Amino acid sequence: MAPIQENKELIMSTADMLQAHLELCHHSFAYVKSMALRAAIDLGIPGAIQSSGGAATLSGLASKAGIHPTKLSNLRRLLRVLTTSGILAATDDEPPADSETAVYTLTPVSRLLAGGGEGAEGSHNMTPLIGVIINPLAVAAHLSMSEWFTDERAAAMSLFEVAHGCTRWDKIKEDPTDGAVFNAGMVADSRIIMDALLRDDSDGGGEFLQGVNSLVDAGGGHGAIAVAIARSFPHVKCTVLDLAHVVAGAPPDANVKFVAGDMFEHIPPADAVLLKWILHCWKDEDCVKILRRCKEAIPTRDAGGKVIIIDMVVGSAAGSQESKEMQVLFDLFMMYIDGVEREEHEWSKIFTQAGFSDYKIKRVLGFRSIIEVYP
Ligand SMILES: C[S@@+](CC[C@H](N)C(=O)[O-])C[C@H]1O[C@@H](n2cnc3c(N)ncnc32)[C@H](O)[C@@H]1O
């Protein structure tokens, strides 16, 4: 039997035990914040604040969001989570249940949920992307994560397939409502990232397009990136390649050519192939196949050929705990379709395997990076 003294050393201090209890509860309740965000979006709260001139009271919001009169105090509780999380701001931290004194306003975070505001940001709205992330299909798949780790079929099936019986891409094809949600989410993200890349005030706005006269956005969805490039750089001939059912739903644009096809089979020729949020969806061997098709589509490095990748380089984001956590959470999220977020050495390995000679990480864009890969 161990001496009593040793056992005592294993016992946490009361302060440590309570701190651990607090931290475990905090982690367990993290999803409640996601659900609050989703509810606020579905109720149109950021938009309601914006359309009230940027500031709204509880009853003003209740009326705009169609809240049942018996749920006014519940709305206040939802808003309190949002203000505590920095998603909204309030003039009064602890407004009483039916307070008319508290005024809710947008923060920079919720300005990206309101849409329709002044300036370029007016066209930016993260709401559709959040609909892809806080999505019943994704949440249900993640709830079966532990089963998937030990499931006999796990080697051959993604978490999504185990939960839903088909791949993510098949679900989008079979379920037009889900497809519309997914494609709108991608458009929302692409508009923001392209604005960041093309703005004149950012270092080298559009620099990645220097010397590029034609570009194929492979897996380009509904073409938000190609439309943005064609608008800012009319000399760049832009083509979007995606699966037939995705291209069929894309809004036509006079300056962008949409091509239905499979990037594993063929990518139309161009000076540059862009891959945004493509390679993180696929295992290494699939990425190598896609990259080989890209290499066949572009000219030599001397003639300006390159592949432009917008994706995450794990470990590259600016040092805040938030961005570090964001990167590893996104990586785990992507596991649901057998995707992966890669560290630089993992990127380098697949570039070499696909026959490329060199690459450069050009810029960090929030939690993602822009990487150029040269034949
Ligand atoms: C995560 S989305 C990214 C969309 C877009 N690049 C963006 O970031 O907004 C992946 C895209 O790849 C497309 N895709 C999947 N498999 C494909 C294939 N075999 N050939 C072409 N596109 C494909 C999907 O339809 C989807 O539009």
Side-chain angles (χ1 to χ4, degrees):
M1 208 172 134
I4 289 169
Q5 188 54 36
E6 271 183 32
N7 277 343
K8 270 191 181 165
E9 279 167 10
L10 291 176
I11 297 171
M12 282 189 224
S13 71
T14 309
D16 285 352
M17 181 177 67
L18 289 175
Q19 179 61 27
H21 180 270
L22 167 77
E23 285 182 29
L24 282 175
C25 287
H26 188 241
H27 292 311
S28 306
F29 278 96
Y31 82 95
V32 178
K33 201 198 287 188
S34 296
M35 296 304 147
L37 175 59
R38 177 76 206 233
I41 286 172
D42 290 347
L43 290 167
I45 287 173
I49 295 176
Q50 173 123 306
S51 65
S52 307
T57 60
L58 182 69
S59 61
L61 282 177
S63 143
K64 287 210 167 187
I67 304 292
H68 191 275
T70 59
K71 296 287 187 285
L72 204 62
S73 64
N74 303 77
L75 176 62
R76 177 188 150 266
R77 289 158 68 189
L78 172 63
L79 294 170
R80 186 168 57 185
V81 169
L82 300 171
T83 54
T84 305
S85 310
I87 295 168
L88 295 179
T91 49
D92 184 347
D93 281 345
E94 283 293 332
D98 54 356
S99 168
E100 270 308 308
T101 57
V103 172
Y104 296 94
T105 54
L106 298 174
T107 62
V109 179
S110 43
R111 277 175 63 196
L112 281 188
L113 300 174
E118 296 286 309
E121 284 163 33
S123 64
H124 296 341
N125 194 334
M126 279 275 283
T127 297
L129 181 67
I130 290 169
V132 176
I133 300 166
I134 313 174
N135 177 295
L137 291 167
V139 173
H142 284 109
L143 278 174
S144 52
M145 191 190 292
S146 60
E147 285 163 40
W148 174 77
F149 267 110
T150 53
D151 193 307
E152 296 228 327
R153 300 163 301 167
M157 288 173 91
S158 66
L159 189 44
F160 191 94
E161 284 169 280
V162 170
H164 302 298
C166 63
T167 69
R168 186 74 190 93
W169 310 121
D170 286 341
K171 181 74 185 159
I172 288 170
K173 189 176 177 184
E174 287 157 16
D175 179 350
T177 309
D178 177 52
V181 168
F182 187 87
N183 291 319
M186 297 305 113
V187 166
D189 180 70
S190 292
R191 283 192 180 143
I192 294 175
I193 203 100
M194 284 318 286
D195 188 19
L197 264 176
L198 297 176
R199 272 185 195 200
D200 291 333
D201 59 354
S202 59
D203 50 329
E207 190 253 340
F208 69 107
L209 290 170
Q210 258 174 30
V212 172
N213 292 308
S214 58
L215 176 139
V216 174
D217 185 4
H222 279 188
I225 290 198
V227 168
I229 292 176
R231 190 173 299 146
S232 298
F233 299 89
H235 69 280
V236 182
K237 227 175 95 198
C238 290
T239 302
V240 171
L241 171 78
D242 210 300
L243 298 169
H245 58 277
V246 176
V247 165
D253 186 282
N255 303 312
V256 173
K257 184 177 168 197
F258 284 88
V259 174
D262 182 344
M263 65 190 164
F264 285 92
E265 302 290 329
H266 175 74
I267 295 178
D271 291 341
V273 177
L274 187 107
L275 299 169
K276 176 189 160 257
W277 262 357
I278 298 300
L279 298 179
H280 80 156
C281 300
W282 300 96
K283 292 176 183 171
D284 285 5
E285 53 268 37
D286 291 322
C287 290
V288 169
K289 283 183 200 156
I290 296 169
L291 284 165
R292 285 195 177 130
R293 296 288 91 84
C294 292
K295 192 159 172 272
E296 288 161 9
I298 56 175
T300 60
R301 182 175 187 171
D302 291 345
K306 62 181 172 183
V307 179
I308 302 160
I309 296 173
I310 301 175
D311 236 323
M312 190 188 293
V313 179
V314 176
S316 69
S320 73
Q321 177 60 20
E322 204 173 32
S323 52
K324 271 190 209 156
E325 209 177 329
M326 178 57 229
Q327 288 200 327
V328 296
L329 287 175
F330 211 140
D331 176 50
L332 200 63
F333 179 84
M334 290 309 293
M335 206 166 72
Y336 91 130
I337 57 164
D338 273 349
V340 56
E341 302 296 350
R342 295 179 169 85
E343 294 180 24
E344 184 174 348
H345 69 96
E346 295 168 310
W347 281 114
S348 171
K349 193 173 139 209
I350 58 171
F351 298 154
T352 306
Q353 282 176 358
F356 286 85
S357 65
D358 195 10
Y359 70 91
K360 265 195 200 121
I361 300 175
K362 301 288 283 188
R363 269 180 73 186
V364 175
L365 297 158
F367 60 87
R368 284 172 288 187
S369 296
I370 177 160
I371 313 170
E372 286 188 2
V373 195
Y374 309 104

